[in-house]
Amino acid sequence: MEGKRIAWCTPLPTKGSGGFRTIIQNARALERYGCTSDFYFIPNLNKPVDEDQIKEYLSNWYNYKPYHVYSGQVSFVDTYDLAIATAWDTATYIADQCCKHKAYFIQDYEPMFFPVGTEYLEAQDSYSLGLAPITIGRWLATRCQEMCGIEPFVTDFCADLSIYRRLDTKRSYAICAIYQPEKPRRASALLLEALTIVKELRPSLTIYLFGTEQALPADLPFVNLGNLSVEQCNQLYNSCLCGISMSTSNPSRIPFEMMASGLPVIDLLLPNNLFDLPASAVRLAKPNTASLAGEIIDLLSDDQRLKEMSIAGLEYMHDRNIEREGIQFASACKSILEDTPSPHVTYLTVNHGTEAHTNVDASALSKEKRKQTLKEAAAQAQPISCSSKRLHISLAG
């Protein structure tokens, strides 16, 4: 692919974005094969920035410098061999450009990010524009086979094994969980409810949350670490007994990075998590408070299971370095440039969830908390009557 010119169209970069980091990793992979990358950024009305500011973001946040950066261009300013859309709201832009070969790098099933309405329908329609799909993971590939009408190219979930690795440190009686309330697909309310039950049943357990700068609700007994560097994430994973990373859409990269660090993982028992997360290293809990809390407590009580899952995660990830993912992406782009279709593959599930059981203590405490919540809501909903016709109101602040 020496000398091939690539045009990427992306939303504006955001600091700490795992999705944008993956885009940069794949751009670098193509550049190792002799390609050059230009980046086109679609406008964001809520965040007007110029091209110099975007270059500064890319340099400071991702240590990356594209060949050229363009913002707000209606059409390509040059001729390219391959144009790549990277999100639902970039697909139409790429489809309208004059370029023989066009790809759609799909990291998640984005219609699930929205209520069923205009944005949901537009995101769904982005798969019907004739762009050659490249997905991360097998569940997403099965969805795209249905939506795109084109067999997708698929890359594996990998991790930077120079960063995410087992350290010679002792694990403490602690767990960690990715907490991102700004992303509904993380089911943050469910997470906090379950962790509250876990903390009440295991008072000496330290619970670390990470992934956002948003403050926790008041009085929750958790340690909020905020946004962490990748090195800090690895240190955290090596200090805990298990990690919780929940996704209601395509799995995130975090469970795979946790496994590479030897950390057992808990996610949700949903169809999206059955194709890519191995049962040997990842437990799947039913998506309700009692089941999630019970799964955490049961796993913490089983030292042998924790040890087996840790070993299984390390073994699963031992050859899944990030370079492998880049090679797969570059290979897919090469096939698209050569008009070679992706081979048809029927993907099988690798995880069927955990055995059907309920932790009695977690279930009872969950029921008690639901009753208490309903009681408090009923009290707050009662109107306040005033027998006097005179009402004095004092306003402060």
Side-chain angles (χ1 to χ4, degrees):
M1 293 196 294
E2 185 72 32
K4 297 296 184 183
R5 306 197 63 223
I6 313 298
W8 297 77
C9 183
T10 80
L12 286 174
T14 54
K15 187 176 182 180
S17 167
F20 201 85
R21 186 186 303 116
T22 299
I23 292 170
I24 297 300
Q25 288 169 351
N26 286 333
R28 286 191 169 117
L30 292 178
E31 289 162 10
R32 286 194 291 270
Y33 285 90
C35 300
T36 58
S37 291
D38 287 357
F39 273 71
Y40 289 78
F41 293 92
I42 58 174
N44 184 338
L45 298 179
N46 297 318
K47 189 179 181 182
V49 293
D50 59 24
E51 293 170 359
D52 289 336
Q53 184 66 67
I54 295 173
K55 291 177 183 178
E56 186 176 332
Y57 290 156
L58 295 175
S59 177
N60 294 342
W61 297 342
Y62 299 98
N63 191 29
Y64 180 70
K65 184 179 180 180
Y67 201 66
H68 291 112
V69 168
Y70 301 102
S71 178
Q73 294 289 338
V74 176
S75 302
F76 284 164
V77 301
D78 213 330
T79 302
Y80 297 97
D81 299 288
L82 175 65
I84 304 174
T86 60
W88 71 272
D89 50 358
T90 68
T92 302
Y93 180 87
I94 291 297
D96 290 342
Q97 300 307 310
C98 196
C99 185
K100 180 180 179 183
H101 299 102
K102 302 176 183 180
Y104 189 177
F105 179 42
I106 306 170
Q107 298 192 60
D108 212 330
Y109 187 65
E110 292 181 298
M112 295 181 72
F113 293 4
F114 308 106
V116 180
T118 300
E119 289 177 310
Y120 175 95
L121 296 173
E122 288 179 348
Q124 198 173 59
D125 188 59
S126 71
Y127 303 119
S128 66
L129 299 175
L131 310 180
I134 307 172
T135 72
I136 297 183
R138 288 152 178 74
W139 173 77
L140 196 51
T142 63
R143 294 305 304 263
C144 288
Q145 285 176 354
E146 302 169 5
M147 300 299 300
C148 296
I150 306 172
E151 294 287 347
F153 296 89
V154 182
T155 68
D156 292 321
F157 283 100
C158 297
D160 188 340
L161 301 186
S162 67
I163 295 173
Y164 297 101
R165 64 193 192 281
R166 187 72 179 94
L167 301 177
D168 188 19
T169 56
K170 185 178 180 181
R171 297 186 185 276
S172 59
Y173 191 55
I175 64 174
C176 61
I178 179 72
Y179 171 66
Q180 294 177 316
E182 64 272 19
K183 298 179 180 180
R185 61 186 180 277
R186 290 292 189 189
S188 295
L190 170 60
L191 174 69
L192 295 183
E193 289 170 4
L195 293 180
T196 300
I197 291 173
V198 171
K199 183 65 175 177
E200 289 194 27
L201 294 176
R202 298 291 185 271
S204 62
L205 179 71
T206 301
I207 299 176
Y208 296 106
L209 302 181
F210 67 100
T212 185
E213 294 301 329
Q214 287 193 29
L216 280 171
D219 301 326
L220 286 180
F222 313 136
V223 180
N224 188 11
L225 301 174
N227 285 323
L228 301 177
S229 68
V230 291
E231 292 81 7
Q232 289 172 327
C233 285
N234 185 61
Q235 292 171 359
L236 176 64
Y237 301 160
N238 273 273
S239 70
C240 295
L241 295 176
C242 77
I244 298 94
S245 176
M246 305 195 316
S247 177
T248 57
S249 55
N250 204 34
S252 76
R253 193 178 299 276
I254 290 173
F256 300 90
E257 294 169 341
M258 287 178 169
M259 284 188 279
S261 304
L263 185 66
V265 181
I266 294 176
D267 206 321
L268 296 177
L269 180 54
L270 296 170
N272 59 300
N273 291 324
L274 302 181
F275 291 82
D276 299 288
L277 298 173
S280 58
V282 181
R283 305 273 286 188
L284 299 181
K286 293 179 181 178
N288 62 69
T289 301
S291 295
L292 179 58
E295 193 62 55
I296 297 169
I297 291 168
D298 287 349
L299 185 55
L300 291 175
S301 304
D302 191 341
D303 291 340
Q304 183 60 31
R305 182 64 174 164
L306 283 169
K307 182 178 180 180
E308 291 173 354
M309 289 177 67
S310 178
I311 294 172
L314 291 169
E315 291 177 347
Y316 184 77
M317 294 299 297
H318 84 278
D319 62 348
R320 289 175 173 254
N321 206 344
I322 199 68
E323 285 78 13
R324 166 175 164 173
E325 189 175 323
I327 291 170
Q328 292 172 338
F329 183 85
S331 176
C333 290
K334 183 174 183 292
S335 294
I336 294 169
L337 285 164
E338 295 174 350
D339 295 313
T340 303
S342 172
H344 174 73
V345 179
T346 300
Y347 295 107
L348 302 176
T349 57
V350 296
N351 198 326
H352 300 284
T354 59
E355 61 273 16
H357 72 280
T358 302
N359 181 284
V360 176
D361 293 336
S363 180
L365 189 52
S366 177
K367 291 180 181 178
E368 181 182 327
K369 286 188 173 296
R370 285 203 302 269
K371 290 180 181 178
Q372 181 63 28
T373 299
L374 185 61
K375 183 178 179 180
E376 292 173 356
Q380 293 175 9
Q382 288 294 323
I384 299 174
S385 59
C386 180
S387 57
S388 172
K389 293 181 180 179
R390 301 182 65 186
L391 184 64
H392 298 272
I393 300 175
S394 176
L395 301 179

